[in-house]
């Protein structure tokens, strides 16, 4: 612990608090940094929108409903300061994208109802 830098100690503190192993937390940090395009140390709304598109594998030319993006934003920005820091990102990622035994599907965001179709002969 004495030889670790402040940033590494901070990342490990997040790992301990959230019960994430060290290999996973380092991967989460790389993912977080890839979405923090301006290298500000936080993810702002435009970066968040892009992040959702990539993580949800939204096809090119399609958009997520604004209400859904806001809902995810409110879930991720737990302190309500208008930015998502690394601990908030980890909590959000674990909550939404890392459900044991489940993969998040884009269709999970939409209520899909079956419609009966009458065929004429």
């Amino acid at each position: 612990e004495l030889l670790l830098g402040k940033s590494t100690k901070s990342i490990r503190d997040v790992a301990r608090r959230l019960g994430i192993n060290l290999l996973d937390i380092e991967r989460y940090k790389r993912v977080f940094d890839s979405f923090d395009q301006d290298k500000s140390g936080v993810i702002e709304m435009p970066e968040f929108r892009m992040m959702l598109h990539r993580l949800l594998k939204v096809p090119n030319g399609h958009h997520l409903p604004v209400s859904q993006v806001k809902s995810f934003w409110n879930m991720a920005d737990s302190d309500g300061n208008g930015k998502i820091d690394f601990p908030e990102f980890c909590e959000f990622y674990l909550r939404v994208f890392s459900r044991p035994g489940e993969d998040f599907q884009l269709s999970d965001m939409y209520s899909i109802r079956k419609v009966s179709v009458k065929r004429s002969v």
Side-chain angles (χ1 to χ4, degrees):
E1 289 273 330
L2 294 175
L3 300 176
L4 300 176
K6 185 178 179 179
S7 175
T8 303
K9 285 168 88 170
S10 175
I11 292 168
R12 287 187 177 194
D13 287 343
V14 171
R16 259 186 241 108
R17 187 168 53 86
L18 297 176
I20 303 170
N21 72 50
L22 293 179
L23 291 175
D24 286 341
I25 198 72
E26 289 172 4
R27 184 172 51 88
Y28 288 9
K29 181 64 172 146
R30 284 191 304 274
V31 170
F32 176 84
D33 290 344
S34 75
F35 293 122
D36 178 19
Q37 294 188 326
D38 62 3
K39 305 303 176 208
S40 63
V42 293
I43 294 174
E44 291 95 2
M45 179 56 90
E47 295 166 325
F48 184 75
R49 203 174 289 116
M50 194 177 343
M51 178 187 88
L52 286 178
H53 273 77
R54 273 204 246 151
L55 291 176
L56 294 172
K57 299 176 182 153
V58 176
N60 287 337
H62 290 79
H63 300 284
L64 294 171
V66 172
S67 61
Q68 191 63 54
V69 173
K70 283 184 181 182
S71 177
F72 277 133
W73 177 264
N74 291 333
M75 189 186 308
D77 183 19
S78 58
D79 63 8
N81 70 351
K83 304 171 216 165
I84 299 168
D85 59 21
F86 182 63
E88 288 174 319
F89 169 80
C90 289
E91 290 173 10
F92 173 73
Y93 189 86
L94 285 169
R95 190 171 172 188
V96 176
F97 297 104
S98 191
R99 297 183 227 161
E102 292 182 42
D103 283 335
F104 188 88
Q105 300 293 319
L106 190 57
S107 61
D108 293 344
M109 297 187 335
Y110 299 93
S111 57
I112 298 173
R113 60 187 173 99
K114 293 184 179 186
V115 177
S116 62
V117 178
K118 291 185 180 182
R119 297 177 192 226
S120 57
V121 184

